[in-house]
Amino acid sequence: MWTSWWLWALVATCAGQTFREQAETIMRAMPVIDGHNDLPWQLLTKFNNQLQEKRANLSTLAGTHTNIPKLRAGFVGGQFWSAYVPCDTQDKDAVKRTLEQIDVIHRMCQAYPETFMCVTSSEGIEQAFREGKVASLVGVEGGHSIDSSLGVLRALYQLGMRYLTLTHSCNTPWADNWLVDTGHDEAESQGLSEFGKKVVREMNRLGIMIDLAHTSVATMRAALELSSAPVIFSHSSAYQLCPHKRNVPNDVLQLVKDTGSLVMVNFYTDYVSCSSQAKLTEVADHLDHIRKVAGAQAVGFGGDYDGVSRLPAGLEDVSKYPDLVAELLQRGWTEEEVKGALAKNLLRVFKAVEKVSNLTATPEEEPIALNKLKGSCRTQYGYSAAPSLSHSPGALLASLAPLLLGLHLM
């Protein structure tokens, strides 16, 4: 009996090695494009974005999920780096802070040209693959980063932003976030407001991918129904397996399938197992579930490395992607399905977004209504001269009330 158990263990070990070797062979030809990595946030909080500081050397960087040797070991060929700033910057310095995070991503490419290639197109990703570099793209995490401005949206596009997460964990004046579904936040836009729909249409026109991670289910549905191009969830998992409101429910997965969209699975344990501990195999369960409901073309990887505090055993850092791919192969995923999850599905969506874009079309111009904006430091230039953008009668009456009361008392 002992001999039988030993032989079974030996066979299992050999099989695991075979799947791992097969994973590496596939990934040499088709490296992973990950949808979301928060290394830029770590560079801000640890070094105030000073890349020349000795401890900030990305070849030796310690205490993070990501550095250059780990990226190489993980066969990472494309990365959407998150230009993230917290919700407490909303109505304050969100735009400035976002510009600084985009800047540090650009400086990463400048400082390590042998490793990173900043690109802004699907063709650029494929060129980076051919050169053996990590295609580096900007994803802006949170609609508050545009400060409810179509002009800022367009400017960030010019600076390389190729996806915008419509909300982070807070409402914007034009879109609702996932905390609405928990009851923590109140719905303000019932998904997308009229201005929110303008944002989506302008993103389509420019060729910016719409990212629905962090949004409420109503926002997910509204964007999926409105967008003329496929959308992404850059770092979300399956609600059916872990009923956390950050995850994607089955009815939305059906819309993902119908629209040719993409869910890039998050590795954060709280979204994988709904607890503080998880295993690599449970992440594979989420990938399996999305493949089953939405199709193999709807699956990708969005590890959320360096943006989370807990990760599954076996997926401790960005070097571990081959182990997850080996698990998928062991479960019977075909080589083509694996290549889709690694990169082809994202490239398909990106190309569809690029095809829909039309930079010669007339831009959306009408600003958000002034009474939708908050922040005591705001100026009001332009609004008083534009009749269609003036205060509503109720807001106007409220603003005149002190004056009218003063006249009465006189």
Side-chain angles (χ1 to χ4, degrees):
M1 186 172 179
W2 171 258
T3 303
S4 174
W5 179 90
W6 181 84
L7 287 172
W8 178 88
L10 179 62
V11 169
T13 300
C14 291
Q17 290 173 339
T18 300
F19 288 124
R20 170 67 192 225
E21 291 168 357
Q22 185 181 351
E24 290 190 10
T25 298
I26 292 171
M27 295 179 79
R28 284 190 184 95
M30 186 64 62
V32 62
I33 302 171
D34 181 87
H36 193 88
N37 185 300
D38 278 296
L39 178 61
W41 178 251
Q42 296 295 328
L43 296 175
L44 172 63
T45 57
K46 291 178 181 293
F47 312 113
N48 204 10
N49 285 342
Q50 297 174 88
L51 296 185
Q52 295 179 47
E53 184 173 327
K54 185 177 180 180
R55 292 181 301 123
N57 187 323
L58 297 187
S59 295
T60 56
L61 182 64
T64 58
H65 304 142
T66 311
N67 62 27
I68 289 173
K70 291 174 183 176
L71 288 167
R72 293 301 190 193
F75 296 91
V76 178
Q79 184 64 67
F80 282 87
W81 301 108
S82 176
Y84 160 73
V85 298
C87 282
D88 63 5
T89 64
Q90 184 161 215
D91 301 314
K92 298 174 185 174
D93 57 350
V95 175
K96 169 185 174 289
R97 287 292 194 171
T98 301
L99 292 174
E100 291 170 344
Q101 294 312 102
I102 292 174
D103 170 71
V104 81
I105 294 168
H106 289 170
R107 287 190 287 117
M108 284 168 53
C109 294
Q110 181 184 34
Y112 302 91
E114 72 289 345
T115 299
F116 302 120
M117 178 186 291
C118 278
V119 303
T120 58
S121 66
S122 58
E123 183 179 351
I125 294 174
E126 291 169 338
Q127 180 63 33
F129 280 9
R130 288 190 290 271
E131 296 187 23
K133 297 181 180 181
V134 180
S136 296
L137 302 100
V138 176
V140 172
E141 187 182 13
H144 60 283
S145 283
I146 69 168
D147 199 24
S148 299
S149 167
L150 295 168
V152 172
L153 176 72
R154 287 186 282 268
L156 295 185
Y157 170 81
Q158 295 295 335
L159 292 173
M161 176 181 71
R162 288 303 179 267
Y163 78 60
L164 173 67
T165 316
L166 297 190
T167 71
H168 195 253
S169 298
C170 54
N171 291 341
T172 67
W174 45 273
D176 292 335
N177 84 101
W178 68 276
L179 289 170
V180 167
D181 296 330
T182 70
H184 182 277
D185 290 356
E186 292 187 12
E188 298 176 30
S189 299
Q190 284 65 52
L192 289 172
S193 71
E194 287 304 311
F195 183 79
K197 294 174 184 177
K198 289 186 176 75
V199 171
V200 167
R201 288 193 292 266
E202 188 66 357
M203 290 174 70
N204 284 162
R205 188 190 72 84
L206 291 166
I208 301 170
M209 285 183 282
I210 295 158
D211 177 23
L212 299 179
H214 286 279
T215 65
S216 71
V217 170
T219 306
M220 295 177 193
R221 292 187 183 123
L224 279 158
E225 291 169 2
L226 176 63
S227 177
S228 54
V231 309
I232 66 168
F233 292 77
S234 68
H235 56 305
S236 297
S237 298
Y239 185 84
Q240 183 71 26
L241 300 188
C242 170
H244 193 292
K245 297 300 184 180
R246 264 285 280 108
N247 287 338
V248 187
N250 277 359
D251 63 321
V252 175
L253 286 178
Q254 187 60 52
L255 290 174
V256 167
K257 179 179 181 179
D258 294 344
T259 56
S261 296
L262 178 66
V263 179
M264 308 182 86
V265 170
N266 194 315
F267 298 172
Y268 182 38
T269 58
D270 295 46
Y271 304 159
V272 171
S273 65
C274 284
S275 71
S276 61
Q277 294 182 326
K279 298 176 291 185
L280 177 152
T281 53
E282 291 174 283
V283 175
D285 291 342
H286 282 263
L287 291 158
D288 270 341
H289 180 80
I290 294 167
R291 181 181 68 152
K292 177 182 178 182
V293 176
Q297 76 288 345
V299 184
F301 299 109
D304 210 358
Y305 282 113
D306 282 308
V308 296
S309 55
R310 294 184 289 272
L311 288 160
L315 288 171
E316 291 84 1
D317 60 53
V318 298
S319 71
K320 303 297 185 180
Y321 290 105
D323 293 322
L324 181 55
V325 172
E327 175 66 21
L328 298 180
L329 291 168
Q330 188 170 3
R331 292 180 178 214
W333 285 50
T334 68
E335 182 175 329
E336 195 58 30
E337 288 174 334
V338 166
K339 287 181 176 178
L342 286 170
K344 284 188 172 182
N345 293 342
L346 185 280
L347 287 169
R348 172 187 58 78
V349 170
F350 200 176
K351 289 176 180 179
V353 170
E354 291 170 334
K355 186 175 181 179
V356 164
S357 69
N358 184 359
L359 294 176
T360 64
T362 303
E364 294 281 347
E365 286 192 332
E366 185 177 350
I368 193 168
L370 181 59
N371 62 7
K372 296 293 184 181
L373 298 175
K374 300 175 184 177
S376 60
C377 294
R378 291 186 183 278
T379 58
Q380 300 180 15
Y381 298 119
Y383 280 93
S384 60
S388 63
L389 302 174
S390 60
H391 290 290
S392 66
L396 181 60
L397 182 60
S399 67
L400 291 175
L403 175 61
L404 295 173
L405 179 60
L407 290 173
H408 175 74
L409 293 176
M410 289 176 66

